[in-house]
Structure formats: structure tokens, C-alpha cells
Amino acid sequence: MPAAPRVPLRPLTMWLLLQSLLLACSLRSAAAFPKGCYPSEEEGLKTFRCSNARLTEVPRDIPNDTNKLYLDSNRIPFLPRDAFRDLPLLLELDLSHNAIAGIESGAFRGLAEHLRSLDLSANRLASVSKEALSNLKAKVNLSDNPWRCDCRLQELVRAVDLAAGSAAGIVCDSSAQEEHVGKAFLQLMADTDFCNVYKRTTDIAMLVTMFGWFAMVISYLVYYVRQNQEDARRHLEYLKSLPSKQRRSEESSTISTVV
């Protein structure tokens, strides 16, 4: 009976080793991602999703070839400088429904040339400097935040390109003018220049302060003159009560002093 053909062991061993290495690399990459985050591909774009992942900061291990990044519905409170600097190919960034109350200047540095969509809606933004979003060419959604309607917000709105349909969602949660609360900010901007109002208020406050100081100086001068007049009158009455010779000497002294 002929012997069964032998299966070469070396190619089989190499194949099994290669499969093990690929599996290990895959597991290592998966383990590097934050819990609840995963990569995918949507419409030919590399996507990284971290929606509802209970994140409290922007993850650091995001693949640097990511085109679409979803960080929505988390607990992120703040965006620090260079938060997305390692994502040069990022086109869309969704940060909606977080707890973002502050954005440091330079948080989006490196995204100006490529980013085309930035969603910051439904956060806790009350005031953001225009420098934080300057130079971005992206369509920006700022709706559903507790905005303080003032010159700073006016400068921010004029510095960005608002996403279509999002302008009506920028509503005053607080304002120096009580009647502005609850109203759409862009409608108010049509009739009010918030920066001029601020400047006029500052000028009035400065004038009031200067007038107060001027009034204090005048009051002090009046008090000083009256006090000296009272002292002079008392001194003259004292002189009149002195003997004639001594009185003339004292009067001469008083007159020369006054002169």
C-alpha cells in the first residue's frame, strides 16, 4: 500500500504565524481605542465614531487619517489648545450634545484648510472669543447654547460661516438688555449694534466717574476756603479784643501774612 503524501509543515507554520500576527495587531488596535469608539468607512470616507461613549475629554488615539469624527452625546466640558492637531485630513467634526462651556484659542488649529463642517450645538457655551474659531472655513452650528448676547457674541457670529438653518437657534439666554432674553440674536443684530452699545455704556460710565472726581475736588476747595475764612474771622475778632498798641502790631502781622 503506497504511503500517504506528506504535507510540508514549513508553509503551514508560516501561514499560522502570519494569521496570529494579524490577529494580534487587530486586537492591539481595538484595545487602543477608548471604550465605545470604533472606526468605520462611510461613503468612502474614514470615519471614527465615539457617540454616547461617556467621554470627558477629546480622545488622543484617534487615527490620523480620519475624515469624519463623531464625538457627540458625551460629557466633554472643555476644548483645550491643539485638541485636534493630529487630524490633518479631518473634514467633519461633530461635538454636539456635550457639556462644552469653554473653547481655548487654538483648539481647532490645523483644521482651517480642510474642515468643512463643525457642529457645536446643544452645549453650554455662553461666550466664545472670535479667535477660538478664527480662520475656519467650515460651516459652524452654534445653535441651542445658553448664549450671552453682547459684543463678543456679535464678533463671533460675524467671524464664522454659520451652517444653513442654524442661525435661528442662536438665542439670547442672558443680556444687559432684559428685553433681549429669549430672542434670536441675528434678528436683534439687524437693529442693534451690540459693540457700539457697549462702547457708549463704557463712555457714559467714564464720564460719570470723571464728574464724581471733579465734584469731590470742587467740594474740597469750597470747604478749604470756608474754613480759612472762618479762621481769619476768629483771628480778627481776637485782635479787636487786644489793647490798642498790641492790636495794631498784630493786625499788621496778619495783613502781611494774608498778602
Side-chain angles (χ1 to χ4, degrees):
M1 184 174 179
R6 293 182 178 181
V7 179
L9 294 178
R10 188 171 180 180
L12 180 60
T13 303
M14 292 295 293
W15 183 81
L16 290 174
L17 180 61
L18 180 61
Q19 291 295 319
S20 299
L21 287 173
L22 289 174
L23 180 60
C25 290
S26 176
L27 290 174
R28 184 179 297 176
S29 298
F33 298 147
K35 185 179 180 181
C37 300
Y38 61 91
S40 64
E41 189 165 324
E42 300 177 6
E43 301 176 351
L45 297 175
K46 293 188 177 181
T47 303
F48 194 74
R49 286 190 174 273
C50 289
S51 304
N52 290 295
R54 298 183 179 181
L55 299 176
T56 56
E57 63 180 2
V58 176
R60 298 179 181 178
D61 298 315
I62 302 172
N64 57 14
D65 60 350
T66 298
N67 303 128
K68 298 172 69 175
L69 176 59
Y70 291 89
L71 298 175
D72 56 299
S73 303
N74 283 290
R75 304 170 183 173
I76 301 172
F78 179 72
L79 298 179
R81 183 187 301 271
D82 295 323
F84 307 97
R85 66 178 179 180
D86 296 325
L87 302 172
L89 303 180
L90 195 62
L91 301 175
E92 298 181 18
L93 175 58
D94 189 348
L95 289 161
S96 63
H97 296 89
N98 272 281
I100 301 171
I103 301 176
E104 190 173 6
S105 180
F108 301 104
R109 186 161 52 186
L111 304 182
E113 294 300 322
H114 304 285
L115 193 68
R116 64 190 186 193
S117 175
L118 173 61
D119 194 345
L120 288 166
S121 63
N123 277 282
R124 298 178 184 174
L125 296 171
S127 183
V128 176
S129 69
K130 64 178 181 179
E131 288 76 19
L133 302 180
S134 62
N135 301 321
L136 286 179
K137 299 177 181 178
K139 298 287 185 180
V140 183
N141 188 344
L142 298 173
S143 62
D144 299 323
N145 281 282
W147 291 110
R148 181 167 62 251
C149 292
D150 55 12
C151 179
R152 203 177 194 205
L153 179 57
Q154 178 173 293
E155 290 180 339
L156 174 66
V157 168
R158 288 178 174 174
V160 301
D161 188 4
L162 295 176
S166 67
I170 304 176
V171 178
C172 300
D173 185 72
S174 62
S175 175
Q177 304 292 327
E178 189 65 28
E179 63 271 18
H180 291 165
V181 176
K183 295 182 179 179
F185 185 63
L186 264 68
Q187 291 181 357
L188 294 172
M189 279 179 58
D191 301 318
T192 306
D193 188 335
F194 285 82
C195 292
N196 277 345
V197 169
Y198 174 78
K199 185 176 183 300
R200 188 160 57 247
T201 302
T202 303
D203 290 344
I204 292 173
M206 187 177 295
L207 285 172
V208 170
T209 302
M210 290 176 63
F211 179 79
W213 279 105
F214 183 73
M216 288 176 62
V217 171
I218 294 298
S219 299
Y220 175 77
L221 288 175
V222 170
Y223 170 78
Y224 179 80
V225 170
R226 287 182 176 177
Q227 189 67 30
N228 283 349
Q229 287 178 343
E230 183 67 20
D231 289 343
R233 185 184 64 80
R234 289 175 181 173
H235 189 63
L236 288 174
E237 289 180 352
Y238 167 74
L239 292 177
K240 290 178 181 179
S241 65
L242 294 176
S244 174
K245 191 174 181 180
Q246 183 179 359
R247 183 173 60 197
R248 278 196 296 269
S249 176
E250 291 286 345
E251 284 177 351
S252 298
S253 177
T254 301
I255 291 171
S256 63
T257 303
V258 171
V259 172

